[in-house]
mmCIF file of all heavy atoms in Angstrom:
data_model
loop_
_atom_site.group_PDB
_atom_site.id
_atom_site.type_symbol
_atom_site.label_atom_id
_atom_site.label_comp_id
_atom_site.label_asym_id
_atom_site.label_seq_id
_atom_site.Cartn_x
_atom_site.Cartn_y
_atom_site.Cartn_z
ATOM 1 N N ASN X 156 -8.248 4.131 35.403
ATOM 2 C CA ASN X 156 -7.347 2.987 35.616
ATOM 3 C C ASN X 156 -7.681 1.832 34.672
ATOM 4 O O ASN X 156 -6.794 1.132 34.190
ATOM 5 C CB ASN X 156 -7.408 2.526 37.079
ATOM 6 C CG ASN X 156 -6.735 3.528 37.998
ATOM 7 O OD1 ASN X 156 -5.762 4.170 37.616
ATOM 8 N ND2 ASN X 156 -7.275 3.697 39.198
ATOM 9 N N TYR X 157 -8.982 1.658 34.410
ATOM 10 C CA TYR X 157 -9.373 0.616 33.451
ATOM 11 C C TYR X 157 -8.847 0.971 32.060
ATOM 12 O O TYR X 157 -8.288 0.119 31.353
ATOM 13 C CB TYR X 157 -10.901 0.450 33.415
ATOM 14 C CG TYR X 157 -11.332 -0.659 32.474
ATOM 15 C CD1 TYR X 157 -11.486 -1.958 32.946
ATOM 16 C CD2 TYR X 157 -11.552 -0.419 31.113
ATOM 17 C CE1 TYR X 157 -11.851 -2.987 32.087
ATOM 18 C CE2 TYR X 157 -11.919 -1.439 30.253
ATOM 19 C CZ TYR X 157 -12.065 -2.721 30.746
ATOM 20 O OH TYR X 157 -12.411 -3.735 29.890
ATOM 21 N N ALA X 158 -9.018 2.240 31.668
ATOM 22 C CA ALA X 158 -8.549 2.675 30.340
ATOM 23 C C ALA X 158 -7.037 2.504 30.212
ATOM 24 O O ALA X 158 -6.533 2.100 29.159
ATOM 25 C CB ALA X 158 -8.940 4.134 30.098
ATOM 26 N N LYS X 159 -6.319 2.769 31.305
ATOM 27 C CA LYS X 159 -4.854 2.636 31.301
ATOM 28 C C LYS X 159 -4.451 1.174 31.130
ATOM 29 O O LYS X 159 -3.603 0.837 30.293
ATOM 30 C CB LYS X 159 -4.286 3.206 32.595
ATOM 31 C CG LYS X 159 -2.767 3.197 32.699
ATOM 32 C CD LYS X 159 -2.325 4.014 33.915
ATOM 33 C CE LYS X 159 -0.817 4.075 34.033
ATOM 34 N NZ LYS X 159 -0.234 2.799 34.469
ATOM 35 N N ARG X 160 -5.074 0.286 31.920
ATOM 36 C CA ARG X 160 -4.764 -1.141 31.772
ATOM 37 C C ARG X 160 -5.128 -1.639 30.373
ATOM 38 O O ARG X 160 -4.420 -2.445 29.781
ATOM 39 C CB ARG X 160 -5.536 -1.961 32.828
ATOM 40 C CG ARG X 160 -5.027 -1.817 34.248
ATOM 41 C CD ARG X 160 -5.588 -2.892 35.165
ATOM 42 N NE ARG X 160 -7.046 -2.918 35.186
ATOM 43 C CZ ARG X 160 -7.800 -2.160 35.989
ATOM 44 N NH1 ARG X 160 -7.230 -1.304 36.818
ATOM 45 N NH2 ARG X 160 -9.124 -2.257 35.945
ATOM 46 N N SER X 161 -6.220 -1.111 29.851
ATOM 47 C CA SER X 161 -6.708 -1.543 28.544
ATOM 48 C C SER X 161 -5.736 -1.169 27.425
ATOM 49 O O SER X 161 -5.433 -1.996 26.561
ATOM 50 C CB SER X 161 -8.087 -0.929 28.270
ATOM 51 O OG SER X 161 -8.519 -1.278 26.973
ATOM 52 N N ILE X 162 -5.226 0.077 27.441
ATOM 53 C CA ILE X 162 -4.296 0.445 26.345
ATOM 54 C C ILE X 162 -2.994 -0.351 26.461
ATOM 55 O O ILE X 162 -2.403 -0.710 25.442
ATOM 56 C CB ILE X 162 -3.982 1.959 26.231
ATOM 57 C CG1 ILE X 162 -3.218 2.498 27.427
ATOM 58 C CG2 ILE X 162 -5.182 2.783 25.891
ATOM 59 C CD1 ILE X 162 -2.451 3.789 27.118
ATOM 60 N N GLU X 163 -2.573 -0.624 27.692
ATOM 61 C CA GLU X 163 -1.343 -1.404 27.842
ATOM 62 C C GLU X 163 -1.510 -2.797 27.250
ATOM 63 O O GLU X 163 -0.614 -3.315 26.576
ATOM 64 C CB GLU X 163 -0.935 -1.449 29.318
ATOM 65 C CG GLU X 163 -0.377 -0.101 29.792
ATOM 66 C CD GLU X 163 -0.301 0.044 31.309
ATOM 67 O OE1 GLU X 163 -0.799 -0.872 32.020
ATOM 68 O OE2 GLU X 163 0.227 1.078 31.778
ATOM 69 N N MET X 164 -2.702 -3.394 27.462
ATOM 70 C CA MET X 164 -2.956 -4.702 26.868
ATOM 71 C C MET X 164 -3.100 -4.588 25.348
ATOM 72 O O MET X 164 -2.575 -5.432 24.605
ATOM 73 C CB MET X 164 -4.201 -5.340 27.464
ATOM 74 C CG MET X 164 -4.423 -6.770 26.979
ATOM 75 S SD MET X 164 -5.718 -7.620 27.900
ATOM 76 C CE MET X 164 -7.144 -6.688 27.343
ATOM 77 N N THR X 165 -3.788 -3.547 24.876
ATOM 78 C CA THR X 165 -3.923 -3.325 23.430
ATOM 79 C C THR X 165 -2.544 -3.202 22.779
ATOM 80 O O THR X 165 -2.321 -3.733 21.688
ATOM 81 C CB THR X 165 -4.790 -2.068 23.162
ATOM 82 O OG1 THR X 165 -6.161 -2.387 23.430
ATOM 83 C CG2 THR X 165 -4.680 -1.600 21.730
ATOM 84 N N HIS X 166 -1.614 -2.538 23.454
ATOM 85 C CA HIS X 166 -0.255 -2.407 22.907
ATOM 86 C C HIS X 166 0.482 -3.751 22.901
ATOM 87 O O HIS X 166 1.214 -4.059 21.954
ATOM 88 C CB HIS X 166 0.553 -1.364 23.697
ATOM 89 C CG HIS X 166 -0.024 0.014 23.608
ATOM 90 N ND1 HIS X 166 0.258 1.000 24.530
ATOM 91 C CD2 HIS X 166 -0.883 0.571 22.706
ATOM 92 C CE1 HIS X 166 -0.404 2.109 24.202
ATOM 93 N NE2 HIS X 166 -1.097 1.859 23.104
ATOM 94 N N ARG X 167 0.288 -4.554 23.957
ATOM 95 C CA ARG X 167 0.904 -5.889 23.957
ATOM 96 C C ARG X 167 0.285 -6.750 22.856
ATOM 97 O O ARG X 167 0.992 -7.506 22.174
ATOM 98 C CB ARG X 167 0.732 -6.562 25.332
ATOM 99 C CG ARG X 167 1.522 -5.906 26.453
ATOM 100 C CD ARG X 167 1.569 -6.754 27.717
ATOM 101 N NE ARG X 167 0.259 -6.979 28.332
ATOM 102 C CZ ARG X 167 -0.321 -6.145 29.204
ATOM 103 N NH1 ARG X 167 0.275 -5.011 29.557
ATOM 104 N NH2 ARG X 167 -1.504 -6.457 29.735
ATOM 105 N N TRP X 168 -1.026 -6.632 22.690
ATOM 106 C CA TRP X 168 -1.686 -7.369 21.617
ATOM 107 C C TRP X 168 -1.181 -6.911 20.246
ATOM 108 O O TRP X 168 -1.041 -7.725 19.332
ATOM 109 C CB TRP X 168 -3.201 -7.161 21.702
ATOM 110 C CG TRP X 168 -3.886 -7.973 22.763
ATOM 111 C CD1 TRP X 168 -3.312 -8.861 23.633
ATOM 112 C CD2 TRP X 168 -5.293 -7.983 23.047
ATOM 113 N NE1 TRP X 168 -4.274 -9.415 24.456
ATOM 114 C CE2 TRP X 168 -5.497 -8.901 24.119
ATOM 115 C CE3 TRP X 168 -6.396 -7.313 22.532
ATOM 116 C CZ2 TRP X 168 -6.766 -9.154 24.649
ATOM 117 C CZ3 TRP X 168 -7.656 -7.561 23.056
ATOM 118 C CH2 TRP X 168 -7.836 -8.474 24.106
ATOM 119 N N LEU X 169 -0.904 -5.618 20.106
ATOM 120 C CA LEU X 169 -0.407 -5.102 18.820
ATOM 121 C C LEU X 169 0.925 -5.748 18.447
ATOM 122 O O LEU X 169 1.146 -6.124 17.287
ATOM 123 C CB LEU X 169 -0.259 -3.576 18.871
ATOM 124 C CG LEU X 169 0.368 -2.950 17.629
ATOM 125 C CD1 LEU X 169 -0.456 -3.241 16.373
ATOM 126 C CD2 LEU X 169 0.534 -1.439 17.821
ATOM 127 N N LYS X 170 1.808 -5.891 19.437
ATOM 128 C CA LYS X 170 3.106 -6.557 19.166
ATOM 129 C C LYS X 170 2.861 -7.964 18.631
ATOM 130 O O LYS X 170 3.489 -8.403 17.655
ATOM 131 C CB LYS X 170 3.915 -6.587 20.467
ATOM 132 C CG LYS X 170 5.155 -7.466 20.444
ATOM 133 C CD LYS X 170 6.319 -6.760 19.743
ATOM 134 C CE LYS X 170 7.657 -7.440 19.995
ATOM 135 N NZ LYS X 170 7.762 -8.804 19.502
ATOM 136 N N ARG X 171 1.911 -8.666 19.246
ATOM 137 C CA ARG X 171 1.599 -10.029 18.798
ATOM 138 C C ARG X 171 0.955 -10.030 17.404
ATOM 139 O O ARG X 171 1.257 -10.892 16.571
ATOM 140 C CB ARG X 171 0.684 -10.718 19.817
ATOM 141 C CG ARG X 171 1.407 -11.046 21.132
ATOM 142 C CD ARG X 171 0.451 -11.375 22.267
ATOM 143 N NE ARG X 171 -0.439 -12.485 21.936
ATOM 144 C CZ ARG X 171 -1.484 -12.854 22.691
ATOM 145 N NH1 ARG X 171 -1.767 -12.171 23.797
ATOM 146 N NH2 ARG X 171 -2.239 -13.873 22.322
ATOM 147 N N CYS X 172 0.088 -9.042 17.153
ATOM 148 C CA CYS X 172 -0.515 -8.901 15.810
ATOM 149 C C CYS X 172 0.575 -8.710 14.757
ATOM 150 O O CYS X 172 0.566 -9.372 13.705
ATOM 151 C CB CYS X 172 -1.461 -7.699 15.758
ATOM 152 S SG CYS X 172 -3.049 -7.920 16.575
ATOM 153 N N CYS X 173 1.500 -7.787 15.025
ATOM 154 C CA CYS X 173 2.555 -7.475 14.060
ATOM 155 C C CYS X 173 3.462 -8.682 13.830
ATOM 156 O O CYS X 173 3.821 -8.989 12.682
ATOM 157 C CB CYS X 173 3.373 -6.280 14.526
ATOM 158 S SG CYS X 173 2.468 -4.722 14.467
ATOM 159 N N ASP X 174 3.815 -9.370 14.913
ATOM 160 C CA ASP X 174 4.678 -10.555 14.777
ATOM 161 C C ASP X 174 4.003 -11.608 13.903
ATOM 162 O O ASP X 174 4.635 -12.206 13.020
ATOM 163 C CB ASP X 174 5.000 -11.153 16.153
ATOM 164 C CG ASP X 174 5.971 -10.280 16.952
ATOM 165 O OD1 ASP X 174 6.558 -9.348 16.358
ATOM 166 O OD2 ASP X 174 6.127 -10.523 18.165
ATOM 167 N N ARG X 175 2.714 -11.844 14.143
ATOM 168 C CA ARG X 175 2.005 -12.857 13.358
ATOM 169 C C ARG X 175 1.828 -12.387 11.905
ATOM 170 O O ARG X 175 2.055 -13.160 10.967
ATOM 171 C CB ARG X 175 0.629 -13.128 13.982
ATOM 172 C CG ARG X 175 -0.174 -14.202 13.253
ATOM 173 C CD ARG X 175 0.574 -15.566 13.219
ATOM 174 N NE ARG X 175 -0.354 -16.660 13.203
ATOM 175 C CZ ARG X 175 -0.427 -17.602 14.135
ATOM 176 N NH1 ARG X 175 0.410 -17.595 15.159
ATOM 177 N NH2 ARG X 175 -1.320 -18.555 14.043
ATOM 178 N N PHE X 176 1.424 -11.149 11.737
ATOM 179 C CA PHE X 176 1.195 -10.618 10.386
ATOM 180 C C PHE X 176 2.483 -10.676 9.563
ATOM 181 O O PHE X 176 2.481 -11.098 8.406
ATOM 182 C CB PHE X 176 0.687 -9.173 10.472
ATOM 183 C CG PHE X 176 0.358 -8.559 9.140
ATOM 184 C CD1 PHE X 176 -0.885 -8.758 8.552
ATOM 185 C CD2 PHE X 176 1.294 -7.794 8.453
ATOM 186 C CE1 PHE X 176 -1.194 -8.200 7.311
ATOM 187 C CE2 PHE X 176 1.001 -7.244 7.218
ATOM 188 C CZ PHE X 176 -0.254 -7.446 6.648
ATOM 189 N N ASP X 177 3.607 -10.272 10.194
ATOM 190 C CA ASP X 177 4.880 -10.199 9.468
ATOM 191 C C ASP X 177 5.479 -11.575 9.185
ATOM 192 O O ASP X 177 6.367 -11.706 8.347
ATOM 193 C CB ASP X 177 5.884 -9.342 10.244
ATOM 194 C CG ASP X 177 5.463 -7.873 10.299
ATOM 195 O OD1 ASP X 177 4.618 -7.469 9.467
ATOM 196 O OD2 ASP X 177 5.962 -7.140 11.178
ATOM 197 N N SER X 178 4.985 -12.598 9.882
ATOM 198 C CA SER X 178 5.526 -13.946 9.655
ATOM 199 C C SER X 178 4.605 -14.789 8.763
ATOM 200 O O SER X 178 4.852 -15.976 8.577
ATOM 201 C CB SER X 178 5.749 -14.657 10.995
ATOM 202 O OG SER X 178 4.503 -14.867 11.641
ATOM 203 N N THR X 179 3.554 -14.174 8.239
ATOM 204 C CA THR X 179 2.622 -14.892 7.353
ATOM 205 C C THR X 179 2.506 -14.159 6.024
ATOM 206 O O THR X 179 2.891 -12.996 5.906
ATOM 207 C CB THR X 179 1.227 -15.036 8.002
ATOM 208 O OG1 THR X 179 0.752 -13.725 8.365
ATOM 209 C CG2 THR X 179 1.260 -15.916 9.236
ATOM 210 N N GLU X 180 1.976 -14.859 5.040
ATOM 211 C CA GLU X 180 1.860 -14.305 3.684
ATOM 212 C C GLU X 180 0.391 -14.102 3.318
ATOM 213 O O GLU X 180 -0.481 -14.820 3.802
ATOM 214 C CB GLU X 180 2.476 -15.298 2.668
ATOM 215 C CG GLU X 180 3.972 -15.498 2.822
ATOM 216 C CD GLU X 180 4.765 -14.249 2.494
ATOM 217 O OE1 GLU X 180 4.353 -13.514 1.562
ATOM 218 O OE2 GLU X 180 5.784 -14.002 3.164
ATOM 219 N N PRO X 181 0.120 -13.141 2.415
ATOM 220 C CA PRO X 181 -1.249 -13.020 1.881
ATOM 221 C C PRO X 181 -1.647 -14.304 1.159
ATOM 222 O O PRO X 181 -0.787 -15.022 0.647
ATOM 223 C CB PRO X 181 -1.140 -11.851 0.895
ATOM 224 C CG PRO X 181 0.130 -11.137 1.231
ATOM 225 C CD PRO X 181 1.042 -12.148 1.832
ATOM 226 N N LYS X 182 -2.939 -14.581 1.120
ATOM 227 C CA LYS X 182 -3.405 -15.857 0.589
ATOM 228 C C LYS X 182 -3.725 -15.859 -0.901
ATOM 229 O O LYS X 182 -3.670 -16.884 -1.546
ATOM 230 C CB LYS X 182 -4.672 -16.298 1.342
ATOM 231 C CG LYS X 182 -4.411 -16.715 2.764
ATOM 232 C CD LYS X 182 -5.572 -17.480 3.341
ATOM 233 C CE LYS X 182 -5.744 -18.849 2.714
ATOM 234 N NZ LYS X 182 -4.659 -19.780 3.019
ATOM 235 N N TYR X 183 -4.121 -14.718 -1.439
ATOM 236 C CA TYR X 183 -4.755 -14.748 -2.764
ATOM 237 C C TYR X 183 -3.989 -13.985 -3.842
ATOM 238 O O TYR X 183 -4.570 -13.595 -4.849
ATOM 239 C CB TYR X 183 -6.190 -14.213 -2.657
ATOM 240 C CG TYR X 183 -7.003 -14.901 -1.578
ATOM 241 C CD1 TYR X 183 -7.397 -14.202 -0.427
ATOM 242 C CD2 TYR X 183 -7.363 -16.246 -1.684
ATOM 243 C CE1 TYR X 183 -8.135 -14.829 0.571
ATOM 244 C CE2 TYR X 183 -8.091 -16.886 -0.679
ATOM 245 C CZ TYR X 183 -8.479 -16.167 0.443
ATOM 246 O OH TYR X 183 -9.188 -16.785 1.435
ATOM 247 N N GLY X 184 -2.699 -13.738 -3.606
ATOM 248 C CA GLY X 184 -1.883 -13.161 -4.668
ATOM 249 C C GLY X 184 -1.865 -11.648 -4.734
ATOM 250 O O GLY X 184 -1.361 -11.079 -5.706
ATOM 251 N N TYR X 185 -2.438 -10.973 -3.725
ATOM 252 C CA TYR X 185 -2.319 -9.506 -3.675
ATOM 253 C C TYR X 185 -1.864 -9.109 -2.275
ATOM 254 O O TYR X 185 -1.986 -9.881 -1.324
ATOM 255 C CB TYR X 185 -3.639 -8.811 -4.044
ATOM 256 C CG TYR X 185 -4.846 -9.294 -3.268
ATOM 257 C CD1 TYR X 185 -5.166 -8.751 -2.026
ATOM 258 C CD2 TYR X 185 -5.677 -10.291 -3.781
ATOM 259 C CE1 TYR X 185 -6.269 -9.195 -1.318
ATOM 260 C CE2 TYR X 185 -6.778 -10.746 -3.065
ATOM 261 C CZ TYR X 185 -7.074 -10.189 -1.837
ATOM 262 O OH TYR X 185 -8.161 -10.638 -1.135
ATOM 263 N N SER X 186 -1.327 -7.901 -2.164
ATOM 264 C CA SER X 186 -0.724 -7.499 -0.890
ATOM 265 C C SER X 186 -1.794 -7.058 0.111
ATOM 266 O O SER X 186 -2.887 -6.632 -0.266
ATOM 267 C CB SER X 186 0.290 -6.379 -1.105
ATOM 268 O OG SER X 186 -0.337 -5.254 -1.670
ATOM 269 N N GLN X 187 -1.466 -7.225 1.388
ATOM 270 C CA GLN X 187 -2.328 -6.799 2.484
ATOM 271 C C GLN X 187 -1.494 -5.951 3.433
ATOM 272 O O GLN X 187 -0.272 -6.105 3.505
ATOM 273 C CB GLN X 187 -2.894 -8.015 3.222
ATOM 274 C CG GLN X 187 -3.805 -8.880 2.343
ATOM 275 C CD GLN X 187 -4.260 -10.162 3.037
ATOM 276 O OE1 GLN X 187 -3.449 -10.922 3.535
ATOM 277 N NE2 GLN X 187 -5.563 -10.403 3.063
ATOM 278 N N THR X 188 -2.146 -5.045 4.155
ATOM 279 C CA THR X 188 -1.427 -4.197 5.095
ATOM 280 C C THR X 188 -2.162 -4.158 6.427
ATOM 281 O O THR X 188 -3.373 -4.401 6.472
ATOM 282 C CB THR X 188 -1.244 -2.773 4.529
ATOM 283 O OG1 THR X 188 -0.332 -2.055 5.356
ATOM 284 C CG2 THR X 188 -2.561 -2.006 4.469
ATOM 285 N N LEU X 189 -1.424 -3.879 7.499
ATOM 286 C CA LEU X 189 -1.971 -3.889 8.858
ATOM 287 C C LEU X 189 -1.949 -2.478 9.450
ATOM 288 O O LEU X 189 -0.908 -1.816 9.437
ATOM 289 C CB LEU X 189 -1.134 -4.833 9.736
ATOM 290 C CG LEU X 189 -1.403 -4.815 11.242
ATOM 291 C CD1 LEU X 189 -2.811 -5.313 11.558
ATOM 292 C CD2 LEU X 189 -0.374 -5.667 11.986
ATOM 293 N N PHE X 190 -3.105 -2.038 9.947
ATOM 294 C CA PHE X 190 -3.191 -0.749 10.650
ATOM 295 C C PHE X 190 -3.325 -1.006 12.151
ATOM 296 O O PHE X 190 -4.258 -1.705 12.581
ATOM 297 C CB PHE X 190 -4.441 0.035 10.215
ATOM 298 C CG PHE X 190 -4.346 0.755 8.903
ATOM 299 C CD1 PHE X 190 -3.430 0.390 7.923
ATOM 300 C CD2 PHE X 190 -5.209 1.815 8.631
ATOM 301 C CE1 PHE X 190 -3.380 1.050 6.705
ATOM 302 C CE2 PHE X 190 -5.166 2.485 7.418
ATOM 303 C CZ PHE X 190 -4.255 2.108 6.454
ATOM 304 N N PRO X 191 -2.449 -0.424 12.984
ATOM 305 C CA PRO X 191 -2.662 -0.443 14.435
ATOM 306 C C PRO X 191 -3.733 0.580 14.823
ATOM 307 O O PRO X 191 -4.071 1.465 14.030
ATOM 308 C CB PRO X 191 -1.309 -0.029 15.013
ATOM 309 C CG PRO X 191 -0.394 0.200 13.867
ATOM 310 C CD PRO X 191 -1.200 0.249 12.625
ATOM 311 N N ILE X 192 -4.233 0.473 16.061
ATOM 312 C CA ILE X 192 -5.333 1.332 16.525
ATOM 313 C C ILE X 192 -4.943 2.033 17.825
ATOM 314 O O ILE X 192 -4.586 1.393 18.806
ATOM 315 C CB ILE X 192 -6.613 0.510 16.740
ATOM 316 C CG1 ILE X 192 -6.998 -0.233 15.449
ATOM 317 C CG2 ILE X 192 -7.761 1.409 17.203
ATOM 318 C CD1 ILE X 192 -8.130 -1.246 15.629
ATOM 319 N N VAL X 193 -5.071 3.357 17.828
ATOM 320 C CA VAL X 193 -4.849 4.161 19.040
ATOM 321 C C VAL X 193 -6.090 4.064 19.923
ATOM 322 O O VAL X 193 -7.210 4.246 19.446
ATOM 323 C CB VAL X 193 -4.596 5.641 18.675
ATOM 324 C CG1 VAL X 193 -4.458 6.493 19.940
ATOM 325 C CG2 VAL X 193 -3.366 5.788 17.792
ATOM 326 N N GLN X 194 -5.889 3.778 21.209
ATOM 327 C CA GLN X 194 -6.983 3.788 22.178
ATOM 328 C C GLN X 194 -6.640 4.781 23.306
ATOM 329 O O GLN X 194 -5.738 5.576 23.164
ATOM 330 C CB GLN X 194 -7.232 2.373 22.710
ATOM 331 C CG GLN X 194 -7.870 1.416 21.709
ATOM 332 C CD GLN X 194 -9.334 1.715 21.427
ATOM 333 O OE1 GLN X 194 -9.969 2.556 22.078
ATOM 334 N NE2 GLN X 194 -9.901 1.026 20.434
ATOM 335 N N GLY X 195 -7.393 4.728 24.409
ATOM 336 C CA GLY X 195 -7.106 5.635 25.524
ATOM 337 C C GLY X 195 -8.306 6.411 26.021
ATOM 338 O O GLY X 195 -8.153 7.379 26.771
ATOM 339 N N SER X 196 -9.516 6.029 25.586
ATOM 340 C CA SER X 196 -10.744 6.678 26.021
ATOM 341 C C SER X 196 -10.641 8.195 25.794
ATOM 342 O O SER X 196 -10.179 8.622 24.747
ATOM 343 C CB SER X 196 -11.044 6.325 27.486
ATOM 344 O OG SER X 196 -12.317 6.798 27.865
#
Side-chain angles (χ1 to χ4, degrees):
N156 289 326
Y157 182 91
K159 183 170 182 287
R160 288 194 303 274
S161 176
I162 66 158
E163 287 165 354
M164 186 170 68
T165 286
H166 297 159
R167 292 192 297 274
W168 282 0
L169 175 60
K170 169 80 166 62
R171 290 165 57 189
C172 285
C173 290
D174 288 348
R175 182 59 150 241
F176 183 85
D177 293 342
S178 65
T179 55
E180 295 293 324
K182 290 195 69 67
Y183 308 112
Y185 52 86
S186 60
Q187 296 174 307
T188 191
L189 171 65
F190 281 22
I192 303 171
V193 176
Q194 289 288 352
S196 188

